[in-house]
Amino acid sequence: MSYIFYNNEDSRDLDLIIENIPVIPACNIIYETISIDGGENLTKIKGFEDISFSFDFWYKSNEDEYLMKKSRIDNWLLSSVYKELFYSADESKTYKVKQVKISETKTSSRIIRRFTATFVCNGLKYMTSGLKAKTITTSGTILNNFGTYEAKPILKIYGSGSITLNINNTSFTVKNVVDYVAIDSEIKECYKDDINFGRNMTGDYPVFFIGKNTISWSGNVSKLEITPRWRCY
């Protein structure tokens, strides 16, 4: 039986059954055309359209427990803390959710309840394997991006003082590190716990390009924890 995992909970734990095989959404690229005087127009990728992923659910509930059960389902879907959607029949991919829409619940056979949950997600999908943290202790380590698009990782650098991290031909420096510092390239933030550390960082936020990425550093570093976030169409 297929299921989804969302907001840190399995749909099977709520006794929800996926009624139909959903349509796996395709990635649609937004292109920008640049006119060149006296030459051919240039086309580049401007971004990606959001995608919608809909699931038709049904569950059993008598009149006495219906409102309580519906409230639990609504809270699970709408009180989003962990915004990653995993679908068991497409297990190599994970979706980053932006919005959730729930249809009205319809009742049949007295106790059978049906509704549709639609997840509006980022256009690019994430490879599930790239959402697990990797630990690196040796400068010069190579990470392979097996996705089909550049990745914007989370890095947690353990060390102290002034640290410079190099990824291929680009680098950034973080000063005054104590114990560790975290860098999130998706939201472009440098922080430690709840403290903004951006003023201590210079250089570009790290990006992993398709293929081999060599990671090296200078300074007092004991280890890196990298969540690469490999992405694909």
Side-chain angles (χ1 to χ4, degrees):
M1 180 176 67
S2 62
Y3 65 93
I4 66 170
F5 191 84
Y6 178 68
N7 205 10
N8 213 28
E9 195 162 5
D10 190 318
S11 60
R12 295 172 297 182
D13 294 337
L14 288 87
D15 300 320
L16 291 174
I17 308 297
I18 297 176
E19 189 164 20
N20 303 306
I21 298 174
V23 175
I24 304 298
C27 178
N28 289 311
I29 301 173
I30 302 172
Y31 293 100
E32 180 181 7
T33 301
I34 303 172
S35 298
I36 305 297
D37 291 340
E40 294 185 1
N41 291 342
L42 297 179
T43 300
K44 69 175 184 178
I45 294 176
K46 186 177 180 180
F48 300 88
E49 293 181 359
D50 290 345
I51 56 178
S52 293
F53 210 173
S54 294
F55 294 88
D56 296 324
F57 289 108
W58 69 268
Y59 62 96
K60 292 181 180 180
S61 174
N62 59 39
E63 291 294 337
D64 294 336
E65 64 181 5
Y66 168 61
L67 290 178
M68 182 175 65
K69 194 159 189 176
K70 184 179 185 305
S71 178
R72 185 185 174 196
I73 293 169
D74 289 351
N75 287 335
W76 167 59
L77 291 170
L78 299 177
S79 303
S80 178
V81 178
Y82 301 95
K83 296 184 178 181
E84 293 170 353
L85 171 67
F86 172 86
Y87 174 42
S88 62
D90 188 27
E91 61 184 15
S92 66
K93 308 293 191 308
T94 296
Y95 300 80
K96 185 64 68 70
V97 177
K98 301 173 75 171
Q99 299 177 35
V100 181
K101 301 175 183 179
I102 307 173
S103 72
E104 64 178 14
T105 301
K106 297 180 179 180
T107 302
S108 61
S109 303
R110 293 175 53 184
I111 62 170
I112 301 298
R113 318 286 177 168
R114 287 182 166 86
F115 72 96
T116 298
T118 300
F119 298 85
V120 180
C121 308
N122 284 355
L124 283 173
K125 305 167 188 176
Y126 291 79
M127 297 177 67
T128 304
S129 60
L131 297 175
K132 298 176 182 178
K134 303 174 182 290
T135 300
I136 292 177
T137 57
T138 304
S139 181
T141 296
I142 294 175
L143 282 185
N144 280 293
N145 180 358
F146 293 107
T148 56
Y149 202 73
E150 65 182 30
K152 297 182 177 181
I154 297 176
L155 305 180
K156 199 169 184 179
I157 306 170
Y158 289 85
S160 61
S162 180
I163 296 170
T164 297
L165 195 71
N166 311 292
I167 298 177
N168 299 326
N169 297 319
T170 63
S171 64
F172 65 90
T173 300
V174 185
K175 298 178 180 178
N176 304 318
V177 177
V178 178
D179 298 328
Y180 78 90
V181 66
I183 291 93
D184 188 329
S185 291
E186 277 196 353
I187 60 176
K188 295 188 182 299
E189 286 190 0
C190 177
Y191 57 92
K192 180 184 179 183
D193 298 324
D194 295 328
I195 302 171
N196 187 334
F197 227 68
R199 65 184 181 276
N200 294 315
M201 177 181 169
T202 56
D204 296 328
Y205 282 89
V207 172
F208 292 138
F209 295 102
I210 298 170
K212 294 182 178 181
N213 293 268
T214 302
I215 303 167
S216 61
W217 58 78
S218 59
N220 183 20
V221 176
S222 59
K223 66 177 180 179
L224 300 181
E225 286 183 359
I226 301 176
T227 305
R229 292 171 168 159
W230 307 133
R231 299 189 294 179
C232 56
Y233 297 119

